[in-house]
Amino acid sequence: MEPVGRITGIAVPFHRPNVDTDQIIPGRYIMKPRRFDYSTVLFHDLRFGSGAEAAFPLDQPRYHGAKVMITAENFACGSAREQAVYALQDWGIRAVVGPSFGGIFYVNGIKNGLLLAQVTPRFAAALCAALEDAPGATVDVDLPSQQVSGPGGLRAPFTIGPGDKAQLLSGKDDITRTLEHEVAILGHEASAAERCTWRRPEGFESQLRARRPFPIQPR
Amino acid sequence: MSTAQTIVDKIWNPHRILGNEAGDTLLAVDLHYLNETSFICFQELERLGRTVRRPGQTFLAMDHTVPTRDRAAGIPDAENREALVYMDGIARATGLLYVGLQDPRQGIGHIVASELGLTLPGILIAGDDSHTTTNGAMGALSLGIGLSEVTHVLATQTLWQAPYRSMRARLTGRMGVGVDAKDLVLALIGRIGAGGAIGHVLEFDGDCVAEMSMSQRMTLCNMAVEAGARAAIIAPDEVTFRYLKGRPCAPQGEDWDRAVAGWRVLATDPGARFDREVELDAAQVAPTVTWGTSPQDALAVDSVVPDPYSAATAPERQRMQAALQYMDLTPGMRIADVTVDQVFIGSCTNGRLEDLRRAAEVAKHGKARVPAVVTPGSSEIKRQAEAEGLHDIFLAAGFEWRDPGCSMCLGMNGDLVASSLRCASTTNRNFMGRQGKGARTHLMSPAMAAAAALTGRITDVREWLRAAAAAPNEEKP
Ligand code: SF4
């Protein structure tokens, strides 16, 4: 993963509370491999076909090439689907600024190098208003100093978990980072097994191991 | 400083391997739950040149994309079929714990894991599905995670967690007739909001929870994620022990006795502090339905659709306006006057035997006026329901009786609600497009959904039950 430090780019205001990941990417598109271009299904039902919104923010020319998105409370709540992060990233978004994020989405985002900056609801609202007035303006999200700045001299600190910050800055792969602690993990596994006063029934695993062939046919 | 601990502290601490300078904790994962949509993680694992560290602690259930009828005819969707075949191969090659499509125990993973006795008090579970919170009903710390974390758990059997905040929802009093755990939890989410529990592990307690069955507790914990909770938990008690005893993967004999002794002391200590507390009097809760496109859009069935101008903020007002437009409703209309086009009963929220019994209790009094589908949560539930004759009741009332799976909860298998149609659903998410593009979802309890099927509109099941009791053979109250 590439290290993430400072993101500067056109910002798209998306000031809607409780946007769920089903809106960001409908469930029928999540069985695609990672190499699929998920940007083609980002906010699919809000952007394409009948029921699509006229002038959906992401499709307005003035936000073309945006790298930053400003949102309202509880952005990307709901389903665990990490493809919501892929879709935003494939579309070009590198940082999302908002008052709060769905818990699983937040972790998914950080793991994929998406900078998630938490600001006050008031600042998010002010930033969105400023961007509406100055369409196509850029916003700067600086991770080392934890500052967001936008048009009209708007500027505020943002919060991010210290571990999340370190991970974004280092760009280090998570598994490698964890397995540096292999000795501690093995030690914990051994001592946990020793502490546990009970066992599951003998051979319970074998009842749950695949035996039968799997005759799945195309219809 | 007080040493009183919450149940979450008591599970978290012994699972803690180490912490880093940033304050995050590396936790040991006892069980890792997967479904066929996890396939990307195995491809990623291969790309990284890693292997599954503990196959015997990894449980795969096929549920999200499986057909709920004509299974022998195969899987119509090519992407779903490929994933199912690929994951079946993985399960065999890697030796995962596995309940596949052809398995006589097949069903929705969260439900199957509890039926098998895999989920136990005091253990730490991570699952590739946000509703992994369901397993907290048995006193496990059960966290829903995303694909990157799944890949990490596969390779390391550990999970990094930021510090959690603790929250308690105390449910007191008795639920009224026709009121179910679903109504309580919808009312709670309506109160605290879809983001009301973000970053928190939510413990349910109180005399109302103590009296609940395991199935009802699972409904509570399942829906906790709809308030943003990272996990939900209920301290194990006699209800838990009775539920778990004798299950195939639960300890037996002396192991069982020692395990129970350990589980009894897991409960939150008196005086333990919570970062946030809420209380709900069950006696005050009416059957509850959603009107909008967020689970927080919950209201009592005998009330009216709210006015967006009652919203506290401008974005919330706009969200409500968009929701009303999507749902084709107007402020001030009685929610009980809204007609529905179809009904879905099932999912990990409300697809258990008790849920089907409550629905059948209503369905036996009439005939469905709109298409209604019942999908049991697991094969075991389907067998038990059939042994009790519930399927006969549903079939006689004109409901469809299907095979287990996630089905119309998210429509990945093709069980969809058509655009602009309105579905009374026992599932957990009324998000735009969740049940199909343009589909309009009203969340409610199984009994309420069954009543909606019989009348073709959102119906106060209390009135229906009263009328049915007075005139058992009448079709309409
Ligand atoms: S029934 Fe719905 S919520 Fe439950 S696991 Fe399946 S898709 Fe997820």
Side-chain angles (χ1 to χ4, degrees), chain B residues 171-227:
Chain B
L171 310 186
T172 61
R174 262 237 156 87
M175 289 184 276
V177 175
V179 177
D180 205 347
K182 181 67 162 289
D183 302 300
L184 299 195
V185 76
L186 281 173
L188 181 75
I189 298 164
R191 168 108 68 87
I192 66 175
I198 285 186
H200 291 77
V201 177
L202 175 56
E203 176 175 356
F204 290 100
D205 75 357
D207 52 314
C208 181
V209 178
E211 282 179 22
M212 278 186 187
S213 67
M214 187 50 67
S215 175
Q216 290 173 309
R217 294 175 181 190
M218 287 171 82
T219 303
L220 291 183
C221 291
N222 175 279
M223 292 292 291
V225 70
E226 306 311 333

Side-chain angles (χ1 to χ4, degrees), chain A residues 20 22 32 48 78-79 82 107-108 163 178 182 188-189 195 197 199-201 207-209 212 214 217, chain B residues 14 22 53-54 74-75 79 92 95 98 105 117-118 146-148 152 160 249 255 258 429 431 437:
Chain A
D20 54 75
D22 276 81
K32 316 248 177 228
F48 308 115
S79 193
E82 195 158 310
V107 176
N108 291 342
T178 299
E182 178 69 15
H188 186 275
E189 284 176 341
R195 275 200 314 271
T197 57
R199 297 270 173 281
R200 292 187 190 264
Q207 304 174 35
L208 288 168
R209 292 248 156 83
R212 252 172 281 238
F214 192 59
Q217 300 302 326
Chain B
R53 184 182 179 96
R54 299 279 177 245
I75 314 287
E79 278 174 355
R92 282 159 207 287
Y98 177 48
R105 299 160 296 190
L118 279 173
L147 299 177
S148 291
H152 182 274
W160 286 100
C249 303
D255 278 305
R258 284 195 299 272
R429 287 181 174 147
F431 298 156
K437 185 173 177 181

Side-chain angles (χ1 to χ4, degrees), chain B residues 63-64 108 110 129 131 347-348 406 409-410 428 434:
Chain B
D63 52 13
H64 277 60
I108 302 171
H110 308 306
D129 187 282
H131 292 97
S347 88
C348 58
C406 295
C409 178
L410 85 172
N428 39 54
R434 171 81 175 180

Side-chain angles (χ1 to χ4, degrees), chain A residues 147-161:
Chain A
Q147 292 280 333
V148 187
S149 31
L154 273 176
R155 190 178 168 83
F158 67 82
T159 13
I160 184 166

